[in-house]
Amino acid sequence: MSIRAAVIGCGDVSTVHFEAVAKLDGATLVGVCDPDPLRLAAATELYGVPGFADHKSLLEAVRPDVVHVCTPHDQHASIAVDCLEGGVHVIVEKPLAHTLAEGRRLVDAAEKSTAKIAVCFQNRYNATSQAMHALLASGELGPVLGAAASVMWHRSPEYYASRPWRGSWEGGGGGLMMNQAIHTVDLLQWLVGDVAAVRGSAATRFLGGTIEVEDTAEFVADHANGARSVFYATLGHAWNAPVTLEVVTEKAVLSLRGDLTVTYGDGRVDVIPERASDTGGRSYWGVSHELLISDFYSRLDEAEPFWISPAEAEKSLRIIKDVYRQSYPDAVSKVS
């Protein structure tokens, strides 16, 4: 039986969703949605399916089984909730929502719905991430002592001018932390363990004439298991350098920079290569959107929630909003 799929939001990241649906056996694209007439017209012509300016019209007209939400951040929760309440399965891009309140609303809706929902933290499907998680979970490396991560990328004023919501608190819910570095924040807490406390700061260091959100951030996190991690991210670098993530355990050091290098205390060194991307997506999106989407579709008949659920995605949102709360104590709207 064919699974009827629809994509809501035909901007940049929708490319990898369209590609993934096209490669899935048994999945058929039946509709697209975008309020921008030019993007909508381009998508309907390219994919040969009906187009809609609002998601409620799409849901009523084509009745999809699965909806991919690829909209600006401030629309994630409201669209996903409408889909879940209508019994439609959802794949929603990160972040979970642009505010904590909207994120909690989506968590509650997911827990009440019989439909399934996944949040796109696709980097958890990277070969290197999977290998790191398996090694740490096995216990063979001993307890985790600490970790460090960095995201040193580049974004220009033109990047924000092309999509103004990216540089606003109202549309994006934040800047660098919400739109770029959240994947690494998610990996850090997934690999090392739940975060019990975080101390950090966020600021606009070089794009102040272009955006109102942060382009640089750092924090120290205390994990519930006693480990401590440090994190630094900026959009002021000259290029998009590989994300780094280092986890130090009692018996080894796991260093991720493209490929994963595991250096054991006895001198042994293992290297786990990352897969190469064969999609039209940008390299900094990672290589694993297709794997996450395929896995989600394969589990639609399972009773239990998808493993990257809204409740799981809320963890990284809370870390980021906690940093914002410390950085902007007089601006409630930035951290709500």
Side-chain angles (χ1 to χ4, degrees):
M1 183 176 69
S2 178
I3 300 173
R4 297 167 57 83
V7 174
I8 299 176
C10 299
D12 296 342
V13 78
S14 68
T15 301
V16 291
H17 290 262
F18 284 122
E19 290 181 352
V21 171
K23 293 178 181 179
L24 285 173
D25 290 335
T28 303
L29 185 70
V30 296
V32 295
C33 173
D34 198 295
D36 183 279
L38 294 179
R39 285 201 298 269
L40 183 61
T44 56
E45 180 177 358
L46 181 60
Y47 300 107
V49 295
F52 302 86
D54 69 275
H55 70 280
K56 292 183 179 179
S57 296
L58 177 144
L59 294 174
E60 182 178 352
V62 302
R63 300 188 180 278
D65 301 305
V66 179
V67 159
H68 297 241
V69 180
C70 304
T71 63
H73 300 169
D74 62 320
Q75 300 169 33
H76 285 185
S78 59
I79 293 174
V81 168
D82 286 345
C83 292
L84 291 174
E85 290 180 346
V88 179
H89 305 297
V90 178
I91 298 177
V92 61
E93 270 294 335
K94 59 74 190 165
L96 176 67
H98 70 305
T99 67
L100 288 172
E102 283 291 272
R104 174 42 50 178
R105 187 164 77 95
L106 182 48
V107 170
D108 292 342
E111 291 175 350
K112 295 174 184 176
S113 177
T114 57
K116 300 177 83 72
I117 178 171
V119 183
C120 278
F121 284 113
Q122 71 277 359
N123 288 352
R124 292 194 187 191
Y125 282 80
N126 291 356
T128 50
S129 301
Q130 292 278 310
M132 291 180 80
H133 193 271
L135 281 168
L136 294 169
S138 72
E140 65 182 86
L141 303 183
V144 175
L145 305 179
S150 71
V151 181
M152 293 190 289
W153 286 358
H154 174 81
R155 291 295 182 273
S156 66
E158 291 74 22
Y159 168 82
Y160 290 98
S162 68
R163 300 284 191 277
W165 66 267
R166 292 169 173 160
S168 73
W169 289 105
E170 182 178 358
L176 157 76
M177 294 277 280
M178 290 286 277
N179 204 25
Q180 286 88 22
I182 191 169
H183 286 292
T184 308
V185 175
D186 173 68
L187 285 182
L188 200 58
Q189 65 84 26
W190 180 55
L191 293 169
V192 180
D194 287 348
V195 171
V198 62
R199 298 171 300 284
S201 64
T204 312
R205 299 296 186 198
F206 80 106
L207 283 168
T210 303
I211 62 176
E212 62 181 12
V213 294
E214 88 287 356
D215 57 32
T216 302
E218 54 79 24
F219 66 73
V220 175
D222 296 324
H223 297 261
N225 57 14
R228 177 174 294 166
S229 61
V230 295
F231 174 91
Y232 176 78
T234 184
L235 296 177
H237 196 28
W239 70 302
N240 294 320
V243 168
T244 70
L245 205 167
E246 182 177 81
V247 180
V248 181
T249 74
E250 188 178 65
K251 299 180 180 179
V253 177
L254 296 81
S255 299
L256 174 67
R257 181 182 170 91
D259 297 335
L260 170 64
T261 301
V262 184
T263 305
Y264 295 88
D266 61 9
R268 288 180 297 127
V269 177
D270 290 337
V271 177
I272 294 94
E274 187 52 79
R275 291 181 300 271
S277 175
D278 61 353
T279 77
R282 296 170 183 167
S283 61
Y284 52 75
W285 290 340
V287 297
S288 299
H289 260 101
E290 184 178 327
L291 293 175
L292 183 153
I293 292 167
S294 177
D295 192 28
F296 179 76
Y297 275 70
S298 72
R299 297 172 182 267
L300 290 178
D301 291 333
E302 296 180 359
E304 61 269 18
F306 190 70
W307 71 289
I308 311 179
S309 64
E312 185 68 15
E314 189 180 30
K315 296 176 181 179
S316 57
L317 182 63
R318 288 194 174 278
I319 293 168
I320 291 168
K321 291 295 188 177
D322 202 0
V323 172
Y324 289 163
R325 187 178 299 110
Q326 296 170 48
S327 305
Y328 309 102
D330 299 325
V332 175
S333 63
K334 294 179 173 59
V335 301
S336 60

